[in-house]
Amino acid sequence: MTAPVFLVEPALLDGSSARLTLDGPEGRHAVSVRRLQPGEEIVLTDGAGRGAYGVVDGVVGKDVLNVEVHAIRDEPAPSPRLTVVQALPKGDRGELAVETMTEVGVDVIVPWAAARCVTQWRGERGAKSLAKWRSTAREAAKQSRRLRFPEVAEMLTTRQLASLLATADFAGVLHEEGSTALATAELPTAGSVVLVVGPEGGVSPEELTAFAQAGAPPYRLGPTVLRTSTAGVAAAALLLTRTGRWA
């Protein structure tokens, strides 16, 4: 099994110390939930590409763990950078989408208030929902042993999203009536790739027009229609393979 990953403040990894201390909620999880013991391997990361690899050197109480560091590694920024824009799904399907996209390696996840979304993020409910997506991404990143955690951005309106699409090196919208297969689209080897996943009710004609004008035409993913909560992860796996990031 690969070593478990725990998130720490960046400053902890800035020095050259051969021993580090993991405490707080992450230390409590390591000691009381994972029950790590001296000699077991562990990775501490800042979530921005830096990781300290070592072994547990000692446990203090129920929430402090000392780590003997063997190596510090810096993971380069991925290229091209993959952003998936996820229309707000119903129920807990949003967390499912965030979890699985994080696991496959999506770099940025953007919530989108599409015209046909049943779910609406407003006021306190919106803030709580965004916080839940971010917490889900953080936990999924640790579970999948990532050193670079994905960014979960603020929710965008359709107009704001069109502006984002216009700046991408490649942009597209998943749509079952797209004339071009995503598997055959010409992709950049660097820069940014932005893909839009619509809601349960589909992307409206007005949205499709606005996105096409911004340089994001519709693409079909395959012969079947996927749920909004699974389309993003399937498309991301395809793009990560085709761009060489899964090579």
Side-chain angles (χ1 to χ4, degrees):
M1 252 184 103
T2 55
V5 172
F6 296 89
L7 183 65
V8 298
E9 291 295 327
L12 188 67
L13 306 182
D14 286 345
S16 57
S17 175
R19 280 181 171 75
L20 300 176
T21 298
L22 180 66
D23 54 16
E26 291 288 87
R28 187 176 305 110
H29 184 75
V31 175
S32 300
V33 179
R34 295 299 300 264
R35 299 186 181 279
L36 296 183
Q37 298 296 319
E40 292 190 81
E41 294 184 344
I42 187 173
V43 178
L44 308 182
T45 182
D46 60 1
R50 171 165 284 199
Y53 292 74
V55 297
V56 178
D57 190 41
V59 175
V60 182
K62 297 181 179 181
D63 59 359
V64 176
L65 184 145
N66 295 318
V67 178
E68 181 182 350
V69 178
H70 293 162
I72 298 285
R73 301 175 190 170
D74 288 295
E75 183 179 277
S79 184
R81 190 181 190 196
L82 176 58
T83 296
V84 176
V85 178
Q86 175 67 58
L88 307 179
K90 294 183 292 186
D92 61 358
R93 293 188 180 277
E95 286 80 60
L96 173 62
V98 170
E99 180 179 54
T100 53
M101 287 192 290
T102 298
E103 289 173 356
V104 300
V106 172
D107 303 301
V108 184
I109 300 169
V110 181
W112 169 41
R116 294 177 176 175
C117 284
V118 174
T119 298
Q120 299 293 323
W121 283 9
R122 293 193 180 96
E124 185 178 347
R125 177 182 178 181
K128 287 183 178 179
S129 297
L130 180 59
K132 195 167 185 179
W133 278 32
R134 287 172 171 166
S135 174
T136 299
R138 182 174 60 251
E139 294 308 311
K142 292 192 292 183
Q143 174 64 36
S144 54
R145 312 300 196 258
R146 289 181 61 163
L147 292 187
R148 285 188 177 273
F149 288 16
E151 173 192 352
V152 178
E154 295 287 335
M155 184 183 70
L156 296 185
T157 64
T158 295
R159 179 177 294 181
Q160 291 169 329
L161 176 52
S163 298
L164 172 66
L165 296 173
T167 66
D169 295 286
F170 172 88
V173 182
L174 290 184
H175 197 275
E176 65 270 21
E177 296 180 3
S179 59
T180 304
L182 187 62
T184 64
E186 186 174 346
L187 301 174
T189 57
S192 62
V193 173
V194 181
L195 191 68
V196 179
V197 179
E200 287 91 345
V203 183
S204 73
E206 295 79 11
E207 290 166 336
L208 284 173
T209 298
F211 297 157
Q213 291 174 347
Y219 291 91
R220 68 178 185 277
L221 184 56
T224 60
V225 177
L226 279 68
R227 288 184 179 272
T228 184
S229 54
T230 54
V233 68
L238 172 63
L239 292 173
L240 290 167
T241 300
R242 293 198 58 228
T243 57
R245 285 183 49 180
W246 273 14

